[in-house]
Amino acid sequence: MKREKMLKRLKKRKEPWDIVVIGGGATGLGIAVDAASRGYATLLLEQHDFAKGTSSRSTKLVHGGVRYLQQGDISLVLEALKERGLMIQNAPHLVKNQAFIIPNYEWWDGPFYQVGLKVYDLMSGKLGIGSSKKLSKNETIGHIPTIDQKGLKGGVVYYDGQFDDARMALSLAKTARQFNGVVINYMKVTGLLKNDEGIINGLTATNLESGKSYDIEAKTVINATGVFADAVKKMDEPDVKEMIQPSQGIHLVVGKEFLPDKYAIMVPHTKDGRVMFAVPWHDKVVLGTTDTMKEKPELEPKAQEEEIDFILETAGQYLTKQPTRADVLSVFSGLRPLAKPEGDGKSTKEISRHHKVMISQSGLITIIGGKWTTYRKMAEDTVDNAILIGALPDRKCVTQTLPIYGYDKNLDITTDHLAVYGTEKYQLLELEEEEPELAEFISESLPLRKSQVVWAVRHEMARTVEDMLARRVRGLFLDAQESFRVAPEVAAIMARELEEGEAWVSNQLEAFNKLKSHYLI
């Protein structure tokens, strides 16, 4: 997957594209996969890097949503449980089974969650991934030795999925490319083109690396920009009412000693009604999340002090060792693109996670809401609408059984840090055999080898040090201090691959260092 080749494909095309997607997060990439795999001429444009925003900043869960079941949103849970099963089935190198334990400190909690989770199991149907069961106090402690034992009555274990979100996004980009889709990062859409009747027939975009602008013809244009969907809508209708309510969720990453076994903890009720997770991920533990209403979307949101305190305090109520700020290896923040509710007064945790596909009078298709787990269904619904709007030949969706690029069910994401490359892992190892110096570690704790940096530039469209350390490998999210330490070596390797000089290295390190206040506390 090379950016130069993608740009050549864009320049060479003389006919209108069937579908042009704005936005390279989970939703946009899912749409690109669906459209390209149906045989439509598909182009995706992303203003920054793939999954730069919300899609790389999730809780890393592929789940039906136990709390939505509690809220009575049965249709969302059914849809999400089906999609969870399909993600595990279609991307086993990126998605795995994760056991969760709900600790019970009140006598009535046990029966309540036992019954609720049995319903959750039944709703999974043939795509179920494990049966929930009641645990005694001793069994709960056996599975989570670091759990706070004071007042503990027992627990309930249930199963959901876990994944690497940014690597999943990258694999979706490669899947779209596999079906002749064109996906380009650092390509900012600057305007929409319309015919004499006011119907959208294309857009303008600027290559942020070269400054070159393009007029791109399209039969349909899809706005899949998440929290930035209102900005694209305003290109179409300047006075349109805003429809996105951003909600910030932050996560703290701490060492494995806080949760040394393979089990995750799910706390369904914190003091303000939010759900709290402590989840093992890439040999670290992710604690989160918050649900804080935000006024405006941001590309690089920052955790608020009270959010950090809330997570540390709540985690301390369930772990024998209270995590402190000194224990935090990284903090990351993301904005959920929730659909604005009708009327005021709803807190963000009450706003529906259902997705909505909307079509403006000009034919602009906008998809909002949803969550990572249901990305495939969101894409299917959106492309079905695009077929009608663009008068495209009717072709059925094939993604229910479509293997995601790199599909390899013999790789274990839990124990093998190269499993996220899927079948490309073996090509990466061949590269190390050809150039043995590339097998050297840049950082053993992240872990990161020189070969991964070279591979990311040559085959994964990594253009910046941040692309590399935040999304091609997850260093910035796992251990921010270590990522800043190795950044100069990463920049030097990337500069050689990109044929850039000292000025590029200097600019990259300056830009990367500006992120320190967002990931370190």
Side-chain angles (χ1 to χ4, degrees), residues 194-239:
K194 296 182 180 180
N195 65 16
D196 294 341
E197 283 79 44
I199 303 300
I200 289 174
N201 61 3
L203 49 75
T204 57
T206 300
N207 179 352
L208 295 181
E209 290 190 354
S210 67
K212 182 174 169 54
S213 291
Y214 297 85
D215 285 348
I216 299 165
E217 292 183 76
K219 295 175 185 175
T220 56
V221 173
I222 297 172
N223 174 13
T225 53
V227 290
F228 299 101
D230 283 330
V232 176
K233 281 278 282 181
K234 284 177 190 282
M235 289 180 190
D236 178 33
E237 304 171 75
D239 300 324

Side-chain angles (χ1 to χ4, degrees), residues 197-320:
E197 283 79 44
I199 303 300
I200 289 174
N201 61 3
L203 49 75
T204 57
T206 300
N207 179 352
L208 295 181
E209 290 190 354
S210 67
K212 182 174 169 54
S213 291
Y214 297 85
D215 285 348
I216 299 165
E217 292 183 76
K219 295 175 185 175
T220 56
V221 173
I222 297 172
N223 174 13
T225 53
V227 290
F228 299 101
D230 283 330
V232 176
K233 281 278 282 181
K234 284 177 190 282
M235 289 180 190
D236 178 33
E237 304 171 75
D239 300 324
V240 72
K241 185 180 171 187
E242 291 190 348
M243 57 192 175
I244 296 291
Q245 173 56 66
S247 156
Q248 178 159 293
I250 80 149
H251 300 81
L252 306 181
V253 177
V254 295
K256 191 180 179 180
E257 66 273 14
F258 286 93
L259 207 60
D261 209 341
K262 61 185 178 181
Y263 289 85
I265 298 174
M266 191 273 231
V267 178
H269 282 301
T270 58
K271 68 181 181 184
D272 69 349
R274 298 170 185 158
V275 173
M276 177 85 178
F277 290 100
V279 187
W281 187 62
H282 287 320
D283 227 25
K284 303 285 190 291
V285 178
V286 177
L287 305 174
T289 177
T290 56
D291 209 338
T292 308
M293 202 174 284
K294 299 287 282 187
E295 283 300 309
K296 295 288 177 191
E298 301 165 86
L299 199 56
E300 194 63 64
K302 190 173 180 179
Q304 298 172 7
E305 293 298 312
E306 55 268 30
E307 291 181 293
I308 295 167
D309 291 339
F310 168 77
I311 290 180
L312 289 172
E313 181 192 335
T314 307
Q317 293 168 8
Y318 294 89
L319 300 171
T320 50

Side-chain angles (χ1 to χ4, degrees), residues 142-193:
H143 291 319
I144 310 177
T146 51
I147 194 82
D148 185 2
Q149 298 176 26
K150 187 181 176 184
L152 184 68
K153 302 285 190 289
V156 181
V157 63
Y158 75 99
Y159 297 85
D160 254 329
Q162 193 217 34
F163 76 140
D164 188 314
D165 48 8
R167 292 298 311 187
M168 180 74 179
L170 196 61
S171 295
L172 290 176
K174 291 187 175 194
T175 309
R177 184 218 60 179
Q178 202 175 13
F179 289 95
N180 290 318
V182 174
V183 294
I184 310 177
N185 53 2
Y186 296 98
M187 184 72 88
K188 185 178 175 66
V189 172
T190 53
L192 300 171
L193 301 174

Side-chain angles (χ1 to χ4, degrees), residues 336-350:
R336 303 175 188 89
L338 303 180
K340 227 169 218 185
E342 298 296 326
D344 297 323
K346 272 196 176 183
S347 68
T348 50
K349 60 181 175 283
E350 296 172 302

Side-chain angles (χ1 to χ4, degrees), residues 33-40 379-380 383-384 387 395-398:
V33 168
D34 188 298
S37 63
R38 294 198 208 195
Y40 301 122
E380 181 180 349
V383 175
D384 284 347
I387 291 169
R395 296 173 189 149
K396 296 292 179 202
C397 173
V398 299

